[in-house]
Amino acid sequence: MANYEFITSDGEHIPIEINVKRGMKNITLRPRVVCGARRIEISRPWLSTDAAAMRFVEQKRRWLERIFANAPCRGHLKSGDWFDFLDMRVHVLHDDTVRVTRFVLQDDGTYTLFVGGDAALLENRIRTFIKSELLKHIKKLILQTPREFWPRRIALRDTSSRWGSCSTTGTISFSWRLAFAPYDVMRYVVMHELSHRKHMDHSPEFWAQVRALYGFGVERAKRWLTKNGASLHQYL
Ligand SMILES: [Zn+2]
């Protein structure tokens, strides 16, 4: 097995593993991120060449870069850390004398999240808190729109490629990581998915609907996600 590398536009070297397989027709690519370690696995048919596999990698460069950008090394949140949560600055404090997670507004306008219980479960508890709060905000936004846009079900997911989706059965899903985005960016994703309740495409009519629900600034919210989306994956 030869040594190959994929060099991202940021200059990161990602090792590539090429496996030769019999009985296979096409070259397949599998980008992998395991605990921050990245690699690309390629399977190629026995009759093709490594060079052909590497050309295929180049053709898929943009897709690969996007996958790796959306899955950076996760940082850990610990007691004393700060994070952004829908325009709020939140200070995490572990307090094993309390049982319930408490979210307290301080005089300086910041928030303190007191998390009780076992320190080993701190991140789990923060995640649970963030998800349930985000869901409340999403539901509140939905209730402010006309009933015809309301979904049958709302789900939170941890997807790296999409911020939201709308199924034909009326379920709307969101990445719970939108909680780390500015409030208006989260609101944009909600209005985008609600607009799919009427238009299952990205036609001009669809975008007119998004603007009608969201108001001014759709482009700005989209730009924010393109530029900063990967940073929403930095914790937990
Ligand atoms: Zn869409």
Side-chain angles (χ1 to χ4, degrees), residues 22-71:
R22 281 171 190 272
M24 158 175 215
K25 279 201 182 136
N26 300 307
I27 298 172
T28 61
L29 280 185
R30 221 171 273 121
R32 297 267 193 204
V33 183
V34 180
C35 299
R38 300 118 185 279
R39 65 172 201 280
I40 298 170
E41 291 170 9
I42 304 178
S43 298
R44 68 160 175 85
W46 185 57
L47 285 171
S48 72
T49 59
D50 281 5
M54 290 305 289
R55 277 199 300 277
F56 188 60
V57 168
E58 270 318 307
Q59 282 166 20
K60 299 287 174 191
R61 167 168 286 278
R62 285 184 58 189
W63 174 70
L64 289 167
E65 294 236 10
R66 199 171 63 231
I67 300 247
F68 289 122
N70 283 333

Side-chain angles (χ1 to χ4, degrees), residues 192-193 196 201-202 206:
H192 180 121
E193 297 313 328
H196 280 313
D201 52 19
H202 291 115
F206 165 80

